[in-house]
Amino acid sequence: MAQAAQNKTRGRKLLGASALLSVLAGLYFGLIEAPPDAYQGNAQRIMYLHIPSILTAYLSFFIVFIGSCLFLWKREKRDDILASSAAEIGVLFTALTILEGSIWGKPTWGVWWTWDARLTLTAILLLIFIGYLMLRSLIEDETRAAVCSAVLGIIGFLDIPLIHMSVYWWRTLHQPPSILRPDKMPWENIHPSMLIALAVNFAAFILLYFYLLSLRFHVGEMEEEAKTRKLYRGSL
Amino acid sequence: MRIVIRGLSKSYGLVWALKQTDLVLEPGECIALLGPNGAGKSTLLGLLSALLHPTTGEVLIDGQRLDQGSSPLRSAIGLLTPSGHLYEGLTLRENLHLFNSLYGVKKSPQEIDEALDTVGLGRWREEYVSALSSGMKCRLGIGKWLLLQPQFLLLDEPYGVLDGSGVDLLESYLKRLCRSGGTVVMATHHVSRILTLCSRALILRRGELIFDEPRQQPWESFHRTFAEFLPRGDQWSS
Amino acid sequence: MSGWGFVFLAYGIVWLALLLYLFFLKRRARRVEKELAALRSSAVKKN
Amino acid sequence: MELLRQTVWLLRKDLLLELRRRESVVAMFFFGTLLLFVFHFAFEIPPDRAAAMAPGLLWLAFIFTGTLGLTQLFQAERENHCLEALLLGPMDRAALYLAKVSFNLFLMLLVEVIIFPLFWILFNLAFWELLPSLFLVALLGTMGFCVLGTLFSAVTLKARARELLLPLILFPLMIPVILATVRGMEILLRTGQFEEAVPWLRLLVGFDVIFLTAGFLIFEWVIEA
């Protein structure tokens, strides 16, 4: 048992180190190497943060979905810890995504918040995440909290495509697509070094995300073990 | 109805409501469940009636585990607790009609009225349950059993609300059921009733089973173990 | 606030938030490890 | 067909209780009308813009009224531990789900049938001939609300501060329904043709079907947790 825990922590340290390295590389490419954008000037550099963090937000919601399905099927505490860890980190990344989006919006559109499709969707995702964490904290009985959170995780995930469709239809109704809109996928006609910067930042965010997830998951497992030990200390 | 309990335990947060217990309840047994408040009696009843999920272990009723989803075998379980399990806004008859149909039991209105008469609630047939006293609600619970004929009965302190004739009604019903192979588990504090009615006694303390013996005539071991929980000067403790 | 101002604002907030979260997570991990070590040692002592 | 029979019996029970106590219906109806007045005072609605804003205000009133109904949905089961009485027996758990969905749907539609014309009078709109098709859109939207609302009413049944928690969880998930219903009605009012609103209605029907099946399958684990 100790050996498995050993190389798990070593694996985590390795993941952490590589995450740190790729983040630094991302910063270097994003801030120094890549040229400023023709229209938006330097503000466009926020894109190297914004696009990857949107991905991690949706990735964490997918992991919550997977954890929830596994938990409802096999009822193992481990899957529930995975779902709650992914949700906690998901909230952080989603909130940061919205922050980046609005900071990026100020120079490009002159307003801190626009009902742009992508920003709205991330905001809705954040609301579902907050509902998930609130639900988990407001139910006393743990198994009931785990089951109910799993249900919200699954229903929330099934709802994402419907939310996407309705928000995009709603958006095209109100604001015809314009050139400056940042949610035009930026890699059509883009400078190669910008592409590298985006790719490196993608890697950085993914590695960082899984590092934080594995750390939070480990903490969750330890807390669970501490609880069961306290429980069994009394009787057996 | 044979009930096997293997390694059953239930914990809430950091507290053990019921510690590891192994038990076999044979058909025809009328078992008394005793113990101070908070000893885990209600938890054990909840687990036996498959309404609570155990932390470890399982409850097998006729070899089947019932706490996951609905199964036909659940119609054999009967539960009677002070809360009554009845819809306040419905009349006595409507309550019985509803539970009959949900259990898939086809009973004519006459049979329902008959059951109400046998439990002495004939006059209140059209009254709302909210108008009933808790003793009458308990009698209605027995009336429900007369129609649904469960084989495995779980009672939580019925004596607290029943009057003299109610107790006779309940005990005659339980005796008949045990003779016909049913199993009864009754959580109560009334030692005097147990000595006449039950064939076996279980005593729980802080979630642990500390006494499990069938009834013999002198039964000193039962009095010794249970004496500690009786109020001072109770005639049974001497 | 020129272009660079916004960039530093965005990068600053994001990485600060992530570092803060990492810090609190590490602290939480250390506290649980200490508690767990105590529990494990007391369990070993008992049996 | 055992499922259908049990659902009918449970629905009959709920309707009977509601008929006698009449607490949910009356509360929901007056709450709905109250909201209409409040909206009238809150928003300075120019007559020409009334048609454009009508669907949004109307649907907002229905959503809040519906939430009021949802928090009361399992009230009968909470008294005297009746939920345990139902779960004790061999009742199909999904029957309880279907019964509660149809009961809440019935309540909301009852309130909507009254509030729709009232809204038309208060905001003196024309388009009386459009009311049936508008009501169809509202029906699909209410169905979506009840399907998910009932599931999450059960989810938050034993949570602390459940009246606050239920809308907090439900409304973000309801966004497709809110958008589809309001846009659908608006298009109907603006253009008068039904075909225009069909894409939104398809979205609504998709939402109802997906979450009716999801709720049907998941409800058992939630109610027994």
Side-chain angles (χ1 to χ4, degrees):
Chain A
M1 221 317 259
Q3 181 50 29
Q6 214 79 43
N7 51 39
K8 236 194 237 158
T9 31
R10 212 177 317 110
R12 229 195 332 280
K13 285 204 170 34
L14 188 70
L15 186 60
S18 53
L20 182 65
L21 264 173
S22 49
V23 161
L24 293 177
L27 284 177
Y28 167 72
F29 277 104
L31 295 180
I32 301 148
E33 187 60 33
D37 178 66
Y39 300 101
Q40 296 167 17
N42 288 315
Q44 195 261 348
R45 293 179 191 282
I46 301 176
M47 179 188 75
Y48 304 131
L49 272 188
H50 192 49
I51 307 283
S53 59
I54 288 181
L55 178 85
T56 36
Y58 282 90
L59 175 67
S60 52
F61 207 88
F62 178 66
I63 294 177
V64 169
F65 173 69
I66 297 293
S68 306
C69 289
L70 284 174
F71 176 75
L72 279 185
W73 178 37
K74 295 215 291 298
R75 293 294 169 99
E76 275 172 26
K77 198 67 181 127
R78 201 165 43 82
D79 305 319
D80 177 48
I81 297 170
L82 174 67
S84 65
S85 319
E88 194 175 293
I89 299 174
V91 166
L92 177 66
F93 275 93
T94 318
L96 292 179
T97 312
I98 293 173
L99 211 67
E100 293 148 8
S102 68
I103 295 173
W104 188 1
K106 186 70 176 125
T108 37
W109 300 323
V111 280
W112 287 108
W113 175 263
T114 66
W115 288 99
D116 150 71
R118 246 165 356 91
L119 276 184
T120 328
L121 289 174
T122 346
I124 298 170
L125 198 63
L126 181 65
L127 290 175
I128 299 176
F129 264 132
I130 291 172
Y132 179 91
L133 293 176
M134 288 280 291
L135 177 67
R136 182 177 279 280
S137 62
L138 282 176
I139 297 181
E140 285 94 2
D141 177 62
E142 309 97 52
T143 36
R144 186 171 176 85
V147 169
C148 293
S149 316
V151 166
L152 180 53
I154 291 170
I155 297 283
F157 187 78
L158 293 178
D159 208 9
I160 296 286
L162 290 167
I163 295 175
H164 266 256
M165 266 201 293
S166 51
V167 167
Y168 270 99
W169 285 357
W170 170 59
R171 285 306 311 130
T172 48
L173 205 62
H174 272 271
Q175 190 196 4
S178 64
I179 313 133
L180 278 179
R181 224 158 38 88
D183 60 14
K184 167 173 70 57
M185 282 314 136
W187 45 73
E188 283 105 14
N189 41 31
I190 184 164
H191 196 281
S193 66
M194 280 192 191
L195 213 53
I196 303 161
L198 194 57
V200 172
N201 271 301
F202 254 123
F205 263 74
I206 299 290
L207 286 169
L208 184 63
Y209 176 77
F210 279 112
Y211 172 65
L212 285 177
L213 183 64
S214 60
L215 193 60
R216 178 63 185 78
F217 181 77
H218 178 56
V219 165
E221 269 189 330
M222 282 197 293
E223 274 164 0
E224 185 57 30
E225 194 191 335
K227 199 163 74 62
T228 27
R229 279 188 181 281
K230 262 184 243 157
L231 186 63
Y232 281 95
R233 188 178 48 184
S235 63
L236 298 190
Chain B
M1 191 66 77
R2 191 161 187 284
I3 292 95
V4 174
I5 300 168
R6 274 205 290 265
L8 188 71
S9 69
K10 178 75 181 173
S11 68
Y12 293 107
L14 295 178
V15 171
W16 280 107
L18 185 73
K19 295 185 178 121
Q20 289 280 355
T21 340
D22 292 275
L23 260 176
V24 176
L25 310 179
E26 297 301 340
E29 277 193 319
C30 178
I31 298 147
L33 185 58
L34 299 113
N37 304 70
K41 298 199 294 293
S42 307
T43 312
L44 182 56
L45 286 181
L47 289 166
L48 288 173
S49 60
L51 290 172
L52 288 179
H53 297 288
T55 310
T56 63
E58 55 190 358
V59 176
L60 296 176
I61 295 172
D62 270 359
Q64 262 187 29
R65 181 175 174 145
L66 293 184
D67 64 329
Q68 267 114 19
S70 65
S71 90
L73 210 56
R74 272 186 183 259
S75 56
I77 305 175
L79 181 66
L80 189 66
T81 60
S83 61
H85 303 289
L86 301 157
Y87 282 98
E88 294 278 326
L90 296 178
T91 65
L92 279 72
R93 225 196 230 153
E94 282 159 357
N95 261 296
L96 294 182
H97 257 302
L98 176 68
F99 284 108
N100 280 348
S101 64
L102 287 182
Y103 278 58
V105 167
K106 301 278 183 300
K107 284 284 194 241
S108 67
Q110 290 71 25
E111 283 162 313
I112 290 177
D113 291 345
E114 237 170 70
L116 285 173
D117 291 335
T118 39
V119 288
L121 292 172
R123 285 212 326 278
W124 285 277
R125 202 172 302 124
E126 290 310 324
E127 289 302 320
Y128 294 136
V129 166
S130 50
L132 294 184
S133 73
S134 45
M136 293 152 87
K137 282 181 189 164
C138 185
R139 283 168 176 265
L140 186 57
I142 301 168
K144 195 158 86 171
W145 286 348
L146 289 174
L147 295 163
L148 303 176
Q149 278 124 19
Q151 292 303 310
F152 178 38
L153 289 189
L154 301 158
L155 298 96
D156 197 347
E157 198 48 84
Y159 294 115
V161 287
L162 283 175
D163 57 15
S165 69
V167 168
D168 299 338
L169 173 75
L170 176 69
E171 292 195 344
S172 62
Y173 177 79
L174 294 181
K175 282 199 184 82
R176 236 184 5 264
L177 185 82
C178 289
R179 263 201 305 281
S180 67
T183 316
V184 171
V185 176
M186 174 151 56
T188 182
H189 297 289
H190 286 67
V191 181
S192 56
R193 302 315 311 171
I194 294 163
L195 294 178
T196 54
L197 183 69
C198 295
S199 61
R200 181 175 164 193
L202 308 172
I203 301 178
L204 279 176
R205 182 175 16 164
R206 280 201 293 281
E208 245 174 298
L209 195 59
I210 56 171
F211 179 90
D212 172 14
E213 270 173 36
R215 195 163 68 82
Q216 319 96 346
Q217 211 14 14
W219 219 2
E220 288 91 6
S221 54
F222 168 75
H223 287 301
R224 252 195 333 284
T225 326
F226 193 66
E228 158 203 1
F229 306 117
L230 285 170
R232 259 189 315 285
D234 187 300
Q235 46 139 336
W236 295 107
S237 60
S238 53
Chain C
M1 282 260 253
S2 72
W4 279 110
F6 287 108
V7 172
F8 287 134
L9 182 67
Y11 276 69
I13 292 178
V14 165
W15 296 118
L16 184 69
L18 287 173
L19 283 176
L20 265 176
Y21 180 71
L22 189 65
F23 169 72
F24 283 114
L25 199 56
K26 284 273 188 199
R27 207 167 59 135
R28 190 170 159 186
R30 261 194 303 280
R31 204 156 21 87
V32 177
E33 256 153 24
K34 214 169 6 45
E35 192 187 350
L36 207 54
L39 282 168
R40 281 205 186 104
S41 62
S42 79
V44 165
K45 239 196 330 304
K46 192 152 65 56
N47 43 33
Chain D
M1 278 317 102
E2 193 54 25
L3 173 74
L4 201 60
R5 210 173 54 74
Q6 286 172 1
T7 310
V8 165
W9 270 95
L10 286 167
L11 185 57
R12 193 180 151 280
K13 173 263 294 181
D14 278 323
L15 293 174
L16 210 58
L17 281 175
E18 193 49 41
L19 199 65
R20 293 201 179 126
R21 293 184 179 166
R22 277 187 300 283
E23 51 193 29
S24 293
V25 175
V26 170
M28 285 164 82
F29 169 67
F30 280 116
F31 186 71
T33 19
L34 174 67
L35 280 178
L36 294 191
F37 282 93
V38 167
F39 289 154
H40 195 71
F41 301 132
F43 308 108
E44 205 27 64
I45 306 170
D48 54 349
R49 292 275 290 123
M53 290 180 70
L57 296 177
L58 203 59
W59 191 245
L60 205 58
F62 291 155
I63 290 270
F64 287 131
T65 320
T67 312
L68 205 67
L70 282 180
T71 45
Q72 292 299 328
L73 201 54
F74 286 93
Q75 198 54 33
E77 274 67 34
R78 288 164 65 96
E79 282 161 12
N80 292 4
H81 293 289
C82 285
L83 186 61
E84 273 80 10
L86 295 177
L87 295 178
L88 183 75
M91 176 200 74
D92 191 335
R93 275 65 174 138
L96 180 61
Y97 176 68
L98 292 180
K100 289 295 179 183
V101 166
S102 16
F103 175 64
N104 200 32
L105 183 64
F106 171 76
L107 279 189
M108 282 184 76
L109 291 181
L110 196 66
V111 170
E112 279 166 26
V113 158
I114 303 162
I115 287 192
F116 246 95
L118 197 62
F119 188 91
W120 250 238
I121 297 164
L122 280 181
F123 288 80
N124 48 58
L125 296 164
F127 321 106
W128 284 92
E129 74 291 348
L130 279 178
L131 269 187
S133 47
L134 283 177
F135 193 74
L136 171 69
V137 176
L139 173 68
L140 287 174
T142 317
M143 183 64 187
F145 183 83
C146 293
V147 156
L148 260 191
T150 309
L151 182 66
F152 282 105
S153 173
V155 160
T156 56
L157 194 58
K158 297 198 174 96
R160 281 201 315 273
R162 69 186 180 85
E163 287 83 9
L164 301 172
L165 191 59
L166 180 58
L168 190 67
I169 298 173
L170 193 59
F171 286 8
L173 300 171
M174 275 297 145
I175 284 172
V177 168
I178 295 171
L179 280 176
T181 322
V182 173
R183 289 283 82 74
M185 282 197 209
E186 199 203 334
I187 291 170
L188 273 176
L189 280 175
R190 199 156 28 85
T191 60
Q193 292 117 4
F194 199 75
E195 301 68 31
E196 285 288 319
V198 163
W200 288 108
L201 295 185
R202 238 186 279 118
L203 179 83
L204 265 181
V205 168
F207 187 96
D208 295 349
V209 166
I210 290 173
F211 288 113
L212 185 61
T213 32
F216 186 83
L217 298 173
I218 289 179
F219 185 78
E220 180 175 328
W221 291 326
V222 169
I223 204 73
E224 278 196 347

